[in-house]
Amino acid sequence: MSVPEIIPAPDMTTDELVALLTRANEAYRTGNPIIDDDTFDHIYLAELKKREPEHPYLDQVQPDTVGAGSSKIRHTEPMLSTDKAYNQEEVTAFVVRVQKAADAQEIPSADIRFRITPKLDGMAARYSDGILATRGNGQLGNDITRNIKRGLVMLEGEKAGVRENTGVGEIVIPEQYFNDVLADSFSHPRNFVTGLIGADNLSEEAKEAMQDGAVQFVPYSGLKASECDVEDLLADAEGLCEKIEKACIYPLDGSVIDVLNLELRIEMGATNHHHNWQIAKKSKGVTAVAEIEGITWRTGRTRRITPVLNVKTINLSGADISNVTGHNAGNVKNLNVGVGAHIEIVRSGEVIPKLLGVVKPGKDADIPDLCPACKAPAKMEKDFLVCQGETCVAQIEAQLQHFFNTLGNIDLFGPSTINTLVENDIRDLAAIYKLQASDFEGMGFGPKQSTNLVAQLERSRSEEVEDWRLLAAFGIHHLGKGDAKKLLAVYKLEALDQLTSEQLIEIPGFGEITAESIPKSIALHWLAMKTIIDLGFNLRKEEKFDVTESVITDQFIVFTGAMQSSRDDMKAAAQRLGANVQSAVNKKTNYLVIGEKVGAKKIEKAESLGTKVVTEAEYLVMIGAES
Ligand SMILES: [Zn+2]
């Protein structure tokens, strides 16, 4: 369920497009990208720019949420994004805009100077007055200073001849270190960095990287840059950028081109999103041509059957490549990328390279009629080949696998075990947890293995596990481990069926889209979730606060009307006393606490549902805050 359905950009409504961009950006900033940079920029963002160049989405800095929960730091100057150029034409258009501004200032074109700096592909941050902060929403960032104590290396730059490690920069890992030490376990250095900077507890790999001095804050002023003029840029922007990029030891995704003339910067100014005197020339990634030897089809969790192009192994920027994603069946069909075809592929940071185009078509690709996982008929739906099986085996197996992987305290339930279970019609968790050793033996597992499988199921319930892991294991869309943790710091797992969008959006880190969808998905799956929760797992609740037992512990409470104290403080206090604070009365509500100016209808409704209505003063006496 957590794999997003991605529709081709032109088929999306503008709202869908913006929703996808927002979601993809949120995922990217927290280190769990759902689409790669190239697709984000060149397909989805490009589609929005083409369709609605004035769309408000394009005029705001997309927030990052790394370090959310720590204190907020207001940036002395806004930390803006950078507008992008993908090719020479777009750089030329930028140069023309600069020339226009120079004309207005009566600055001769020959006097305009530019600087080219590598654009590091890490996590943007700013260091000043001893505080390191994320970009956040551009105005307010999060304090991530504690990472310096944890081993983050602060490199120096140079400004006006003075060595300093302050200013705007990126937190990155040298490419070589990533390739040597981390590439087997992580898909991209940026994901690794954003993950560890925001993490409360460092993973083993993160601790090691910190100890090795590999995680570094690099101020942009500390990078080797080059200068050029209008003529240079118009002649060969790409070549100039490539030269400076080659000398850089950090992962990067292009170069930043700045205007150096101060009076021109002032003339050109900024939008809410970016400085007009600056542009990022994105690099295209390394390409190569490979020959197709076959196509493997795989059914995913969404029942879409996607092609993997198996190519004669070639080396591309240091990695041996034998598989290339073919995106979707429509693509494979239209491009004739069957056996023997020569295709151009690109690899830009990601481990699995992508198909760029066809150099020489091959035989017609065979599109399968049947789902490779469940053998149900497969049908083309627009560009996608979709399994028509009501309950596709691939989807069920992937969900079960996700549950056990996420729970993380159970062995032996890998793909082959799960495959055997599903083939024997054991298709949900409740059924799996009921299995006895004799049942496993009946499916062909050996006697010893059967006993072990039962012991592992028992272990997964008796061994302590964090409650947020269990929640994330259900695979609710938008509710991964990080968000599950944030959610359960405030609300109880057993009461999540009461969760509303309004409550969710008040928790830092949840956006409008996720706040809208999570309660709906929970409601849809609650019965199945509750059955599993009730199996009696040994759950550890990670408390943000110590709950004090009181008369309102486990009670459902709604606060309404104008209160003497701040309503937010009252809610927080109630939560510390173990209450479930709701935003509106329903039949579960035990108490409605009313301030001033509460309509009679509201009170009537609460009473008709059996809710006890108390005034603020009565409530304070009840919880022992006042006598
Ligand atoms: Zn299927």
Side-chain angles (χ1 to χ4, degrees):
M1 270 175 276
S2 60
V3 177
E5 299 269 353
I6 295 181
I7 309 167
D11 294 347
M12 290 178 139
T13 66
T14 301
D15 283 349
E16 284 171 345
L17 203 52
V18 171
L20 174 69
L21 288 167
T22 309
R23 191 150 51 87
N25 192 73
E26 203 175 299
Y28 166 88
R29 300 249 184 242
T30 50
N32 307 296
I34 51 172
I35 49 179
D36 62 272
D37 303 0
D38 249 24
T39 313
F40 182 90
D41 286 339
H42 291 103
I43 299 185
Y44 294 98
L45 194 64
E47 173 72 23
L48 182 63
K49 279 187 176 169
K50 187 178 92 186
R51 205 184 290 178
E52 286 191 37
E54 303 293 319
H55 195 282
Y57 177 89
L58 300 169
D59 189 36
Q60 52 188 322
V61 174
Q62 291 310 305
D64 67 55
T65 53
V66 173
S70 61
S71 48
K72 297 275 177 217
I73 304 297
R74 182 165 292 279
H75 296 303
T76 40
E77 268 173 54
M79 269 181 82
L80 300 182
S81 291
T82 316
D83 205 17
K84 292 169 194 159
Y86 298 104
N87 48 41
Q88 178 67 49
E89 291 82 76
E90 288 174 358
V91 175
T92 301
F94 166 70
V95 174
V96 169
R97 290 197 295 277
V98 176
Q99 282 176 311
K100 229 181 218 168
D103 276 350
Q105 294 272 314
E106 294 177 354
I107 298 170
S109 190
D111 287 357
I112 306 174
R113 299 291 299 167
F114 296 94
R115 182 181 56 202
I116 304 178
T117 317
K119 184 174 184 295
L120 301 190
D121 190 8
M123 195 192 135
R126 191 177 128 267
Y127 186 57
S128 65
D129 298 327
I131 290 172
L132 185 66
T134 64
R135 171 158 54 205
N137 65 3
Q139 309 286 338
L140 285 175
N142 293 315
D143 188 342
I144 51 170
T145 314
R146 64 171 178 172
N147 286 285
I148 300 177
K149 271 207 187 125
R150 301 207 291 199
L152 174 65
V153 174
M154 304 296 286
L155 293 188
E156 288 187 335
E158 193 172 300
K159 208 172 192 178
V162 181
R163 303 290 296 171
E164 55 163 27
N165 63 2
T166 56
V168 172
E170 298 263 337
I171 301 172
V172 278
I173 287 191
E175 196 153 21
Q176 190 66 49
Y177 183 90
F178 183 82
N179 288 339
D180 291 348
V181 181
L182 298 165
D184 286 345
S185 320
F186 298 88
S187 64
H188 194 285
R190 184 191 53 244
N191 305 344
F192 179 70
V193 168
T194 47
L196 82 88
I197 291 297
D200 286 337
N201 300 306
L202 294 183
S203 66
E204 283 310 307
E205 290 96 340
K207 268 185 210 155
E208 204 179 298
M210 285 286 208
Q211 274 162 15
D212 292 343
V215 191
Q216 306 173 354
F217 170 75
V218 184
Y220 270 105
S221 60
L223 288 169
K224 193 175 181 304
S226 70
E227 286 189 23
C228 65
D229 59 20
V230 167
E231 258 179 56
D232 298 332
L233 268 192
L234 292 181
D236 185 16
E238 206 126 73
L240 289 170
C241 292
E242 251 170 44
K243 215 182 208 171
I244 201 77
E245 288 163 20
K246 274 208 176 118
C248 181
I249 62 163
Y250 298 105
L252 44 79
D253 60 354
S255 297
V256 177
I257 306 172
D258 289 324
V259 172
L260 284 175
N261 313 54
L262 196 60
E263 60 277 41
L264 262 180
R265 287 190 179 196
I266 296 166
E267 168 78 18
M268 296 186 78
T271 69
N272 288 329
H273 176 267
H274 60 264
H275 294 292
N276 291 323
W277 43 265
Q278 183 180 62
I279 201 152
K281 164 74 183 67
K282 299 276 276 184
S283 54
K284 278 200 197 114
V286 191
T287 63
V289 174
E291 188 186 336
I292 296 186
E293 293 182 319
I295 300 180
T296 308
W297 296 87
R298 286 195 195 129
T299 314
R301 280 208 269 174
T302 58
R303 279 194 289 142
R304 279 187 184 163
I305 305 165
T306 53
V308 177
L309 311 176
N310 316 124
V311 297
K312 236 178 224 170
T313 306
I314 53 159
N315 193 285
L316 192 54
S317 60
D320 284 334
I321 306 297
S322 50
N323 288 320
V324 178
T325 168
H327 300 298
N328 57 53
N331 206 31
V332 163
K333 207 169 164 181
N334 298 336
L335 294 174
N336 293 324
V337 289
V339 174
H342 289 225
I343 54 171
E344 189 183 10
I345 60 180
V346 64
R347 181 166 178 265
S348 50
E350 310 299 321
V351 167
I352 298 186
K354 293 186 311 165
L355 169 65
L356 259 191
V358 181
V359 179
K360 187 185 118 193
K363 291 182 195 154
D364 281 350
D366 284 329
I367 309 288
D369 305 324
L370 301 178
C371 167
C374 73
K375 310 293 176 226
K379 236 171 67 184
M380 288 297 290
E381 294 177 5
K382 287 192 181 159
D383 275 338
F384 298 98
L385 185 65
V386 183
C387 165
Q388 303 297 309
E390 273 286 292
T391 44
C392 180
V393 176
Q395 197 179 4
I396 292 170
E397 287 183 13
Q399 279 165 6
L400 293 175
Q401 192 65 76
H402 174 80
F403 181 84
F404 292 120
N405 283 350
T406 312
L407 203 60
N409 64 355
I410 183 163
D411 295 331
L412 305 179
F413 281 79
S416 77
T417 302
I418 288 177
N419 184 262
T420 307
L421 293 178
V422 172
E423 276 178 0
N424 283 280
D425 265 339
I426 303 295
R427 299 186 167 207
D428 63 61
L429 290 166
I432 291 178
Y433 273 96
K434 274 189 205 140
L435 293 174
Q436 306 292 321
S438 54
D439 299 323
F440 283 112
E441 280 189 51
M443 295 176 219
F445 294 98
K448 182 131 194 269
Q449 201 185 3
S450 298
T451 318
N452 288 342
L453 285 163
V454 174
Q456 286 296 327
L457 286 174
E458 176 51 34
R459 174 190 157 206
S460 77
R461 279 180 292 172
S462 59
E463 195 174 278
E464 194 177 60
V465 65
E466 296 95 332
D467 56 358
W468 51 264
R469 271 189 206 280
L470 179 60
L471 177 56
F474 290 121
I476 297 288
H477 198 21
H478 294 319
L479 201 51
K481 288 185 211 165
D483 287 338
K485 201 171 175 181
K486 280 181 224 152
L487 176 57
L488 293 185
V490 186
Y491 294 100
K492 288 201 184 96
L493 180 62
E494 295 78 8
L496 285 185
D497 57 329
Q498 297 293 316
L499 184 74
T500 65
S501 306
E502 292 76 21
Q503 289 169 324
L504 197 53
I505 205 157
E506 281 169 24
I507 305 174
F510 288 92
E512 259 174 56
I513 298 165
T514 51
E516 193 61 41
S517 90
I518 290 172
K520 277 186 198 155
S521 306
I522 290 179
L524 198 64
H525 299 288
W526 185 247
L527 263 181
M529 288 169 68
K530 192 75 173 48
T531 311
I532 299 308
I533 294 169
D534 289 346
L535 287 175
F537 285 85
N538 180 6
L539 295 180
R540 184 168 82 229
K541 174 140 184 67
E542 299 223 4
E543 304 282 2
K544 259 205 174 154
F545 41 76
D546 292 325
V547 169
T548 315
E549 283 285 323
S550 73
V551 288
I552 58 167
T553 300
D554 291 333
Q555 302 286 301
F556 289 85
I557 297 187
V558 174
F559 294 91
T560 189
M563 304 279 178
Q564 296 293 320
S565 357
S566 120
R567 200 168 351 149
D568 285 342
D569 288 350
M570 291 189 74
K571 283 183 186 174
Q575 280 166 351
R576 278 194 294 274
L577 291 170
N580 299 299
V581 177
Q582 301 171 288
S583 57
V585 173
N586 62 21
K587 57 182 192 298
K588 273 210 167 187
T589 313
N590 301 94
Y591 295 100
L592 173 66
V593 183
I594 53 168
E596 283 167 32
K597 295 178 187 156
V598 176
K601 274 221 176 110
K602 223 175 198 173
I603 294 173
E604 252 169 54
K605 188 195 160 204
E607 284 175 335
S608 75
L609 286 169
T611 302
K612 195 164 175 0
V613 179
V614 292
T615 65
E616 183 181 359
E618 286 168 340
Y619 168 77
L620 291 175
V621 171
M622 184 172 93
I623 62 169
E626 261 165 45
S627 49

